[in-house]
Amino acid sequence: MTQSGGGGGGVHHHLNHHGLCCLSAAALPAPDAPPTPEPEAGGAAVAVAGVLHKWTNYGRGWRERWFSLHDGVLSYSKIRRDASAAADEDGGGGGGEVRLIGGASARIGGARRPDKPVGVVCLKLSAFRESKSDDRRFYIFSPTKTLHLKTDSKEDRVAWIEALILARSFYSLRSLSGRITFVQSDVSVSTARLRNRMQQEGLNESLIQECEQIVLTEFSSFRKQLKLCYEDQLSLFGSCRHHFEEGKDASIIQGALTRNDFSSSRHGNFSEYSTTESDEFEKQDGGDLTCEDESTFFDAADYFIEPNDRSSAILSSTSCGEGLLDIQMEDSSHLLPQIKRRSKLPEPTEKERGISLWSIIKDSVGKDLTRVCLPVYFNEPLSSLQKGFEDLEYSHLLDQAYQYGKMGNSLMRILKVAAFAVSGYASSVARPCKPFNPLLGETYEADFPERGVRFFAEKVSHHPMLIACHCEGKGWKFWGDSNLKSKFWGQSIQVDPIGVLTVEFDDGEIFQWSKVTTTIHNLILGKLYCSHHGTMHIKGNRQYSCKLKFKEPSLLDRNPHLVQGFVEDDDGNKPSFLIGKWDENMYYSNLDTSKVKSVDQLKGAVVLWEKNKPSPNPTRYNLSSFAITLNELSPDLQDKLPPTDSRLRPDQRHLENGEYEKANAEKLRLERRQRMSSKLQDNGWKPRWFQKDGEDGTYRFKGGYWEAREHGQWDDCLDIFGEFSET
């Protein structure tokens, strides 16, 4: 059986270059039919090609890919070695003269050539954006994926952006769908070979004719089914076009992708293209995972558009072309409520007072030294309970760790957990003030649905001073308690945290670690600062554990805040190494990082975590944008909180408002009340929301708080901030 009109061998070749890679072969024009573009404006069709660096995933990093732009469709391919292949085979994207951008002809010539396309992007549904921090990088956004691309030079990026904009203006979805015709009149079936073979076997004419009729009938039935399939696909595509052009999703996509107008004077104004103002995309170099990764296992990718998104990733897979699989992590932030939180503290009512040793001496003259306490302006308007939640500013790292584990990537899971364990120290830089010491029974809740987390903490013991916390995220739980042992060395204080922090994922994997030593320097003379040093062991209950060393600072150290470590499996192998700074970022690499002093000396390191940008509204407390939201008290929230919540603490509230005299008076009153706590604890006081696991175990959340909050049942909660009588 043969096929007239050009044969079937070239169908897949054409399919791989067509923007509608998921349509059946029957929906495509004949392989040898010349392209018939229908530009919307005058001028020649855009056909360019070249090599771009494409971000694949954390494991593989940047990879060279052959990109071909033709008929308003951008396709990309792997570049494989094949000495016998012509350099330009399959590279032009559809015949005709193709303009090469950059050094593509030199790289692809001879021994290397592009493979079959593994991904396509229809430019009509896409937007483009340059990177502001890297003059070689740009992004292409489509409704289903985002491509992170990088050129060899700034000039090459300009050339690619110009070609993309020009191609997008030439071809619309309507002209694209108009060129898809069903191959019906060009296809016929010949039974000549079948007849000749049957005659050789000596079959009679009536049997031969009957067999021919069966073949023709079956082929006719197959062609009808193929046509119906084509019509269904074309109908689906038409509805999708309408959906993207006129529907709600189109406005959402365009609104998200085109916040800024195209600002380059070389290109004019295009709403679909802009440069980034803040370049939030550089927060994470995660991209889409595409079908070019042919192994059966895929790493997860971090969605990068919104650095504080941290929503759980959704895996989607679709068939594409010749059975290729496209798996990517999609943003689901639109499924979470968007809550507007404050971005700055109230303006102080009174003039701020500086921090100095002289101020303590002056305020203590004539007072009983046993009752002297630090003035309130040595504090920041946060309690230690709220500081506990501040350690979860980068909880999205645990969201990512959960997703990696779900996909079977245990190594990336522990790397993300390690990055999370380090990230909690980032907020301690240049924080000159100490948090309020909570009262016995004081609590703090943090319900952040836009992050997918809710947190609760309570001071469970006055002596020893213990704070317990519990946090629930998307696929994980975090809990622990902490006690501090301090040593005074004259010019510094050394604080050793005691307690175990635990992360448990929904699939049963658990990681535990303890914090390292913190030293506060220059208490009397010089600028106050803190350092973190020691070894952190992150122990897992399955395959991997991790060891991180926080470098102790020295006078001659030119690379402070350094953190180095490695992941180790049960057999003692070290599959991955970590390096970074606890106040900036963390990277991982398969190369040993113990011999290098900074990540700049390590090639191929991949970022795990980067610190968020500082607050645009700084205060003398140097709070981050996240920390500024922690003590916010709206009227609606105030009605829901128990009387023990830190937001209701009067001295802390007066300090935030800049009412320093009132804050000082309230602090003295509450500290007198705090002296009653030891007696209260000795008389059998028990925590309301936590209980101890055994005699020497960790305090664990009993539950019931959020249910009581829903019904406003706080009758059994003490009014710990109210007036009291010592008699």
Side-chain angles (χ1 to χ4, degrees), residues 92-275:
E97 185 176 353
V98 177
R99 178 168 64 94
L100 296 180
I101 296 179
S105 58
R107 285 187 207 173
I108 305 301
R112 301 170 72 188
R113 77 176 185 96
D115 205 342
K116 294 180 179 180
V118 296
V120 291
V121 175
C122 180
L123 299 184
K124 183 64 177 179
L125 295 178
S126 302
F128 329 117
R129 180 168 289 178
E130 289 179 345
S131 166
K132 190 175 182 180
S133 62
D134 188 339
D135 59 11
R136 298 182 301 145
R137 192 181 302 186
F138 65 99
Y139 311 94
I140 298 178
F141 305 88
S142 77
T144 58
K145 67 176 67 177
T146 300
L147 300 180
H148 295 227
L149 303 174
K150 187 164 60 175
T151 59
D152 289 328
S153 68
K154 180 179 180 180
E155 292 73 18
D156 288 350
R157 184 178 77 169
V158 172
W160 270 107
I161 291 294
E162 287 177 340
L164 289 169
I165 294 176
L166 184 58
R168 191 185 189 281
S169 65
F170 273 134
Y171 297 96
S172 66
L173 283 175
R174 194 166 289 105
S175 64
L176 179 64
S177 61
R179 294 196 301 273
I180 303 175
T181 57
F182 183 69
V183 184
Q184 181 172 3
S185 59
D186 295 335
V187 178
S188 63
V189 178
S190 172
T191 59
R193 292 176 59 192
L194 177 62
R195 168 177 284 277
N196 292 338
R197 184 69 183 89
M198 296 176 74
Q199 287 177 345
Q200 291 175 6
E201 293 295 328
L203 299 178
N204 58 48
E205 181 64 22
S206 62
L207 182 57
I208 293 176
Q209 292 179 0
E210 184 179 349
C211 291
E212 285 181 320
Q213 187 61 38
I214 292 175
V215 170
L216 293 173
T217 301
E218 290 296 324
F219 181 76
S220 177
S221 176
F222 169 73
R223 187 168 58 180
K224 289 179 180 179
Q225 295 177 19
L226 199 60
K227 184 178 180 180
L228 289 174
C229 181
Y230 154 73
E231 291 173 349
D232 289 341
Q233 295 279 7
L234 193 59
S235 175
L236 175 62
F237 174 69
S239 64
C240 289
R241 180 191 67 191
H242 178 80
H243 186 58
F244 285 124
E245 287 183 334
E246 302 176 9
K248 189 178 296 184
D249 285 356
S251 61
I252 294 174
I253 294 169
Q254 291 297 326
L257 302 183
T258 61
R259 287 188 295 250
N260 305 311
D261 289 337
F262 170 42
S263 57
S264 173
S265 59
R266 296 189 56 183
H267 307 293
N269 293 321
F270 290 85
S271 63
E272 69 271 38
Y273 170 74
S274 67
T275 57

Side-chain angles (χ1 to χ4, degrees), residues 148-449:
H148 295 227
L149 303 174
K150 187 164 60 175
T151 59
D152 289 328
S153 68
K154 180 179 180 180
E155 292 73 18
D156 288 350
R157 184 178 77 169
V158 172
W160 270 107
I161 291 294
E162 287 177 340
L164 289 169
I165 294 176
L166 184 58
R168 191 185 189 281
S169 65
F170 273 134
Y171 297 96
S172 66
L173 283 175
R174 194 166 289 105
S175 64
L176 179 64
S177 61
R179 294 196 301 273
I180 303 175
T181 57
F182 183 69
V183 184
Q184 181 172 3
S185 59
D186 295 335
V187 178
S188 63
V189 178
S190 172
T191 59
R193 292 176 59 192
L194 177 62
R195 168 177 284 277
N196 292 338
R197 184 69 183 89
M198 296 176 74
Q199 287 177 345
Q200 291 175 6
E201 293 295 328
L203 299 178
N204 58 48
E205 181 64 22
S206 62
L207 182 57
I208 293 176
Q209 292 179 0
E210 184 179 349
C211 291
E212 285 181 320
Q213 187 61 38
I214 292 175
V215 170
L216 293 173
T217 301
E218 290 296 324
F219 181 76
S220 177
S221 176
F222 169 73
R223 187 168 58 180
K224 289 179 180 179
Q225 295 177 19
L226 199 60
K227 184 178 180 180
L228 289 174
C229 181
Y230 154 73
E231 291 173 349
D232 289 341
Q233 295 279 7
L234 193 59
S235 175
L236 175 62
F237 174 69
S239 64
C240 289
R241 180 191 67 191
H242 178 80
H243 186 58
F244 285 124
E245 287 183 334
E246 302 176 9
K248 189 178 296 184
D249 285 356
S251 61
I252 294 174
I253 294 169
Q254 291 297 326
L257 302 183
T258 61
R259 287 188 295 250
N260 305 311
D261 289 337
F262 170 42
S263 57
S264 173
S265 59
R266 296 189 56 183
H267 307 293
N269 293 321
F270 290 85
S271 63
E272 69 271 38
Y273 170 74
S274 67
T275 57
T276 60
E277 294 300 324
S278 61
D279 212 6
E280 295 172 342
F281 311 118
E282 309 307 320
K283 287 291 182 184
Q284 298 174 349
D285 262 333
D288 61 324
L289 286 175
T290 69
C291 43
E292 65 188 50
D293 300 310
E294 295 175 351
S295 60
T296 56
F297 172 75
F298 295 83
D299 278 342
D302 298 331
Y303 201 75
F304 63 92
I305 289 182
E306 174 58 57
N308 291 325
D309 160 42
R310 321 319 181 194
S311 59
S312 62
I314 301 175
L315 299 177
S316 68
S317 60
T318 57
S319 297
C320 181
E322 298 174 277
L324 297 174
L325 190 64
D326 186 339
I327 296 182
Q328 62 187 21
M329 304 283 282
E330 295 185 349
D331 178 26
S332 60
S333 60
H334 62 282
L335 301 176
L336 298 173
Q338 299 302 311
I339 298 177
K340 183 174 178 60
R341 301 186 185 274
R342 69 180 183 182
S343 59
K344 60 181 180 180
L345 296 181
E347 292 295 326
T349 303
E350 303 171 13
K351 183 179 179 180
E352 293 181 324
R353 303 176 65 176
I355 301 175
S356 66
L357 181 63
W358 168 245
S359 64
I360 301 177
I361 297 173
K362 180 172 65 68
D363 288 346
S364 302
V365 172
K367 295 181 180 179
D368 182 357
L369 292 181
T370 61
R371 292 182 175 268
V372 169
C373 60
L374 291 176
V376 73
Y377 41 83
F378 273 78
N379 290 77
E380 61 183 14
L382 293 174
S383 72
S384 296
L385 299 170
Q386 292 165 312
K387 289 279 287 184
F389 182 57
E390 192 176 1
D391 286 352
L392 282 105
E393 177 176 357
Y394 301 94
S395 62
H396 70 278
L397 295 170
L398 296 181
D399 298 341
Q400 296 165 4
Y402 171 65
Q403 290 294 333
Y404 277 119
K406 278 183 63 176
M407 299 174 69
N409 194 340
S410 300
L411 179 58
M412 280 303 301
R413 170 175 279 187
I414 192 171
L415 286 171
K416 286 292 183 178
V417 170
F420 169 77
V422 174
S423 70
Y425 293 96
S427 62
S428 63
V429 178
R431 293 281 281 272
C433 301
K434 76 179 193 71
F436 281 85
N437 181 23
L439 306 183
L440 184 64
E442 186 173 335
T443 64
Y444 176 71
E445 69 158 62
D447 187 13
F448 277 61

